[in-house]
Amino acid sequence: MSALDRKVPSAAVRGPHAVAAMLFGLVWISCVWFGSYALNPNTATRLFAAITLVERGDARIDRYQSLTIDKAQFGQGDARHYYMDKAPGMTLMALPAVWGVDRLTGTEASDQIIDIANPRLTAFLRARLSVAVASTAAILTAFAAVLLLDLGTGITGSPAAGLFAALGYAMGSIAWGWSTSLFGHAPVAALLLIATWAIWRGTAGATEEARGRYPVMAGLTLGWAVAIEYQSALSGVAIGVWALWRTRRFAARARWRIYGVTLVSAAAAFVPVVVYNVIAFGTPFMLGYQGVVGFDGMNQGVFGLTYPKPAILWEILFGLRRGLVWVSPVLLVGVVGLVGMIRRPDTRDMGWLAVAVIVVVVSINASYYYWDGGASIGPRHSVPAIPFLAIGLAPFWASLRGPRLRQAAIGLLALSMVINLVIASTDIFAPEALAAPAWTRNFVGLFLAGKLQTLPNLFFGWGAWFGFALYLDIALPLLALIVWQTRRAERALSE
């Protein structure tokens, strides 16, 4: 009997707490252990803005603008100044890390020679980037993985199904690699999933419906996702419509209380963006994107967004250069699981929500002039769709009958995890012209040559392979313990 055949009410079975705690640790350390290039223009512009806010109280990056092509320019002559050209969410999240490392080390950017070839500057930025990632992207991805474990367990009645989905999302996809840097894609993916879990859990029964933490959680995460990437508001609309559907039978007073709390929480989450805009531009009604330098494609449509192109959709999903299927193959069976969810009355609404968010995210990516993300492994702009594909992994696993099918599914997950271990441990940035960069550059050019980026070799000068082996010494036993505890929980439910 498959797990889906069990008569388990939605959300009645929770993800095992011991598994959740260990899974959080595994995902967090996996994101923190591997570094990325601190002077990548997209990362650097966010760091520079965080540094100037902490050390000078303003958002101008004039002193550093020569080090990044990702910048905004406003004014002319002596009144010309440069700013970060991104939504400020990730920069604002990095402020505590920059402040803390400054105080701990007693160094500031004013002590550095601003030269891209200066190794001291690289080390200065790397330290702040690593702490910022550990306290932002890594935590969000790890937390989202834990909630996906709970969601997958709840909709199938199977902890193993929940774990399959959580590992597929956090370690079997490029969400892993993009959680090692200060890009906004992986944090937005996590925040959208957290909001989805909060709405699902908060509408699971009378006891949960009375708890105010769920609408607060949904509002804060949706609002902060927009603070990180403005276009995530469209995914937020899809999630909001789904929330209206989930609460349609609530008493009117309860509905309006939930809606009010959620909206107020979302607005509160967006307040720091308004404050940043006032500090940077003197008005809340200006965006860094309005002054983008050197990217003429941003003048097409709305900041580079026009309409989805079918050829680009194909490249995003299946193209050798950026195709998601080649770097996260386990997500293919997530599609099968989503179809199964839509066919079942008790999971149909969540299945359609997942499809809606995936369509929104991928369509935005296919509408963007710079759809390929420049130097990128996989379609980085489509990362927010990954956790919604991964939701389908849980019912897919639960529908499998017989050990051979499950062994094949485990093999596909293991392949995806190995691919993304190679990506995370080497480089998430690849030259734009490379075909199949995960193979030609990450595996052949970097991994086999021992050109790895681990904490021990980046910060302590230890051998790269030693740092990699040390990670495996931590991660593999922890993963084995997670699997063992999950099997125990699975057997307990079946007795």
Side-chain angles (χ1 to χ4, degrees):
M1 181 174 66
S2 73
L4 282 179
D5 293 328
R6 300 173 189 160
K7 302 301 182 182
V8 180
S10 178
V13 182
R14 302 298 300 262
H17 293 303
V19 174
M22 291 186 290
L23 177 65
F24 183 94
L26 174 63
V27 175
W28 183 82
I29 200 168
S30 297
C31 296
V32 170
W33 196 269
F34 302 109
S36 64
Y37 183 44
L39 278 167
N40 173 272
N42 200 307
T43 296
T45 195
R46 290 182 165 99
L47 274 178
F48 296 149
I51 289 167
T52 59
L53 283 167
V54 167
E55 297 181 2
R56 297 179 51 192
D58 68 51
R60 291 176 290 186
I61 62 168
D62 296 355
R63 185 165 182 247
Y64 316 101
Q65 62 87 16
S66 63
L67 301 181
T68 178
I69 58 173
D70 286 356
K71 56 195 173 189
Q73 175 188 316
F74 294 96
Q76 299 295 328
D78 292 339
R80 180 177 62 190
H81 295 291
Y82 293 92
Y83 302 84
M84 172 182 63
D85 63 344
K86 315 295 181 188
M90 292 306 297
T91 285
L92 297 175
M93 290 177 73
L95 294 180
V98 171
W99 182 88
V101 177
D102 276 6
R103 297 301 176 274
L104 185 64
T105 62
T107 60
E108 294 189 352
S110 58
D111 305 324
Q112 307 300 317
I113 298 172
I114 306 304
D115 184 340
I116 199 168
N118 177 12
R120 289 186 59 196
L121 176 63
T122 301
F124 175 90
L125 294 174
R126 183 189 297 131
R128 285 146 185 82
L129 173 62
S130 296
V131 176
V133 167
S135 58
T136 59
I139 285 179
L140 285 173
T141 297
F143 186 45
V146 167
L147 298 188
L148 185 52
L149 166 71
D150 185 62
L151 191 156
T153 301
I155 64 176
T156 63
S158 166
L163 180 63
F164 188 74
L167 289 175
Y169 153 61
M171 300 185 71
S173 79
I174 54 170
W176 181 358
W178 291 104
S179 298
T180 66
S181 192
L182 211 57
F183 280 65
H185 314 308
V188 165
L191 288 166
L192 293 178
L193 180 63
I194 293 167
T196 300
W197 175 88
I199 294 166
W200 169 74
R201 178 59 66 189
T203 56
T207 301
E208 305 290 0
E209 291 162 13
R211 292 175 175 167
R213 63 175 177 262
Y214 296 116
V216 170
M217 190 181 212
L220 289 176
T221 50
L222 290 175
W224 196 248
V226 179
I228 294 174
E229 290 186 349
Y230 297 131
Q231 69 272 22
S232 63
L234 296 176
S235 299
V237 169
I239 294 173
V241 170
W242 176 65
L244 293 177
W245 173 260
R246 295 277 296 187
T247 57
R248 70 193 184 282
R249 293 194 176 93
F250 286 17
R253 186 173 181 179
R255 284 204 314 271
W256 289 112
R257 175 184 60 82
I258 291 170
Y259 300 160
V261 170
T262 304
L263 290 173
V264 169
S265 300
F270 200 72
V271 166
V273 175
V274 175
V275 174
Y276 169 86
N277 285 346
V278 171
I279 292 172
F281 312 119
T283 173
F285 305 110
M286 185 174 288
L287 305 178
Y289 289 113
Q290 294 172 250
V292 169
V293 176
F295 292 90
D296 294 336
M298 294 293 287
N299 296 322
Q300 295 196 17
V302 180
F303 299 126
L305 294 173
T306 52
Y307 60 91
K309 289 82 171 175
I312 293 177
L313 281 170
W314 175 266
E315 289 296 323
I316 289 169
L317 298 174
F318 305 107
L320 280 177
R321 191 162 68 96
R322 290 289 182 271
L324 185 62
V325 66
W326 303 112
V327 288
S328 308
V330 73
L331 297 179
L332 274 174
V333 297
V335 176
V336 178
L338 291 180
V339 172
M341 289 178 70
I342 291 170
R343 289 177 174 174
R344 291 176 61 88
D346 57 331
T347 57
R348 183 171 296 145
D349 63 307
M350 182 173 288
W352 279 120
L353 166 71
V355 170
V357 174
I358 293 164
V359 169
V360 167
V361 171
V362 176
S363 295
I364 291 172
N365 194 170
S367 302
Y368 189 37
Y369 184 87
Y370 300 106
W371 67 271
D372 64 351
S376 170
I377 294 293
R380 63 181 177 88
H381 295 293
S382 287
V383 167
I386 287 175
F388 294 88
L389 282 163
I391 288 174
L393 293 175
F396 171 79
W397 173 269
S399 70
L400 296 178
R401 299 176 184 275
R404 290 189 178 181
L405 287 176
R406 293 198 170 181
Q407 288 167 6
I410 292 171
L412 183 60
L413 174 60
L415 173 63
S416 292
M417 291 174 68
V418 168
I419 290 171
N420 285 282
L421 172 60
V422 170
I423 292 170
S425 65
T426 52
D427 196 359
I428 56 173
F429 312 114
E432 297 181 42
L434 283 181
W439 172 258
T440 58
R441 184 166 190 268
N442 290 84
F443 184 69
V444 176
L446 297 175
F447 188 80
L448 292 182
K451 297 177 181 178
L452 312 177
Q453 299 193 71
T454 72
L455 283 181
N457 70 278
L458 289 174
F459 286 96
F460 309 122
W462 298 358
W465 283 118
F466 180 84
F468 186 81
L470 186 58
Y471 165 76
L472 293 181
D473 284 343
I474 297 170
L476 290 180
L478 186 53
L479 178 60
L481 188 57
I482 289 170
V483 171
W484 178 68
Q485 287 282 7
T486 302
R487 293 185 67 181
R488 287 187 64 192
E490 192 85 3
R491 285 196 297 269
L493 282 174
S494 62
E495 291 175 354

